[in-house]
Amino acid sequence: MLKSIIEEKLQAQIKKEASSSQLYLSMASWADMKGFSGAAEFLYHHSDEEREHMLKLIRFVNERGGHAEIPALSSPQKDFDSFQSVFKSILDHERKVTESINDIITACLKENDHSTNNFMQWYISEQMEEEQLANSILDKLKMIGDNMPSLYLFDKELSELTKNAHQA
Ligand code: FEO
């Protein structure tokens, strides 16, 4: 049985994962509208992954005797200045998500909740991968700047990356 303090934190995390999915979906739509199909595919896929993160939490809360609520969300940002600003936002966002996952783990240790702690370890590894990926893409974008031919190649690269992620 989940302690209420842990259930509340998991509930808040469900909302964060749902918001991440919506934000990345909005970024995907923006990239799609701009004609960058590779970046759009990458971001659509990223949005799907965040939805999976949310679903995993919903199932866990219910399996442990809680009742996961489906949160209301406000509209995500619609327009973006550049791909650099998109990936900077992703990195900032993911860093905040990592902080909140660390906070859940700290609470689990305090409350002696080893099963939730164990469950949340998967999120720790996932966050490390996501931050690393966003960081490396952002580094590349800083080098590219506004150079259109390079942005075109970058778009193709993101398309390949997404295809490989689907095959993995
Ligand atoms: Fe599920 Fe990217 O945080």
Side-chain angles (χ1 to χ4, degrees), residues 62-78:
N62 290 337
E63 272 164 20
R64 300 279 300 148
H67 184 175
E69 285 170 40
I70 308 308
L73 302 172
S74 47
S75 297
Q77 187 179 340
K78 183 182 168 195

Side-chain angles (χ1 to χ4, degrees), residues 17 20 24 46 50 53 94 97 127 130:
E17 302 291 348
S20 304
Y24 301 160
H46 202 2
E50 297 300 347
H53 299 174
E94 290 302 331
V97 171
Q127 283 311 116
E130 287 194 352

Side-chain angles (χ1 to χ4, degrees), residues 2 29 35 63 73 77 88 107 118 123 136-137 154 161 167:
L2 281 173
S29 174
E63 272 164 20
L73 302 172
Q77 187 179 340
K88 173 83 174 70
N118 187 43
Y123 286 83
S136 68
I137 292 175
F154 161 79
L161 203 65
Q167 282 161 5

Side-chain angles (χ1 to χ4, degrees), residues 75-113:
S75 297
Q77 187 179 340
K78 183 182 168 195
D79 283 305
F80 303 89
D81 293 337
S82 63
F83 279 108
Q84 207 169 310
S85 78
V86 164
F87 281 91
K88 173 83 174 70
S89 291
I90 293 178
L91 183 59
D92 291 345
H93 189 82
E94 290 302 331
R95 282 179 175 155
K96 283 195 193 119
V97 171
T98 301
E99 271 175 33
S100 104
I101 286 168
N102 286 338
D103 177 62
I104 296 173
I105 305 247
T106 304
C108 288
L109 294 172
K110 219 161 127 190
E111 299 295 327
N112 267 326
D113 184 344

